[in-house]
Amino acid sequence: QVQLVESGGGLVQPGGSLRLSCVASGSIFSIYAMGWYRQAPGKQRELVAGITSGGSTNYADSVKGRFTISRDNAKNTVYLQMNSLKPEDTAVYYCNARGIVAGDSDFGSWGQGTQVTVSS
């Protein structure tokens, strides 16, 4: 099985920055996509940003120009640099990864989530 562990959440003032990290571990053969989602209270989980193994990225319109997703394929790690944070960015942020495990089975895994709170 594949486990994802996120870190880097916390409390930050509006206009501040945070960097989230997510490390994937387990019997991983390859990861073809990783991404960050978020869920605010009373709202559905939404895609924030995604990145493929080749480095192609996509972002939610609400975070374009403020957030940057990147990954280190050798370390099975994905990052989310969040700048110019706004109160509406407050949510639990989840890491997601999809790929292939040893034995040629597909996997799709979620992390446990990390809280990001933007407040003065």
Side-chain angles (χ1 to χ4, degrees):
Q1 300 299 321
V2 176
Q3 297 81 40
L4 303 180
V5 178
E6 301 115 333
S7 61
L11 173 64
V12 64
Q13 292 186 342
S17 298
L18 283 175
R19 188 190 193 212
L20 306 183
S21 301
C22 172
V23 181
S25 63
S27 301
I28 299 169
F29 179 73
S30 68
I31 300 176
Y32 45 78
M34 300 186 81
W36 290 95
Y37 290 72
R38 67 187 180 187
Q39 188 166 19
K43 295 187 177 181
Q44 291 187 332
R45 190 174 298 189
E46 63 175 358
L47 174 68
V48 176
I51 186 167
T52 67
S53 58
S56 297
T57 59
N58 63 293
Y59 296 91
D61 287 343
S62 60
V63 307
K64 285 180 181 177
R66 301 188 297 122
F67 291 10
T68 302
I69 190 170
S70 60
R71 65 186 284 179
D72 184 331
N73 291 333
K75 295 182 179 179
N76 289 333
T77 300
V78 64
Y79 307 96
L80 186 68
Q81 178 66 43
M82 305 185 292
N83 299 328
S84 302
L85 282 160
K86 304 175 181 180
E88 50 264 43
D89 295 317
T90 295
V92 178
Y93 283 69
Y94 296 91
C95 176
N96 175 266
R98 291 177 288 123
I100 303 172
V101 295
D104 286 340
S105 297
D106 290 340
F107 77 88
S109 296
W110 291 93
Q112 80 286 355
T114 185
Q115 177 70 45
V116 171
T117 303
V118 184
S119 175
S120 55

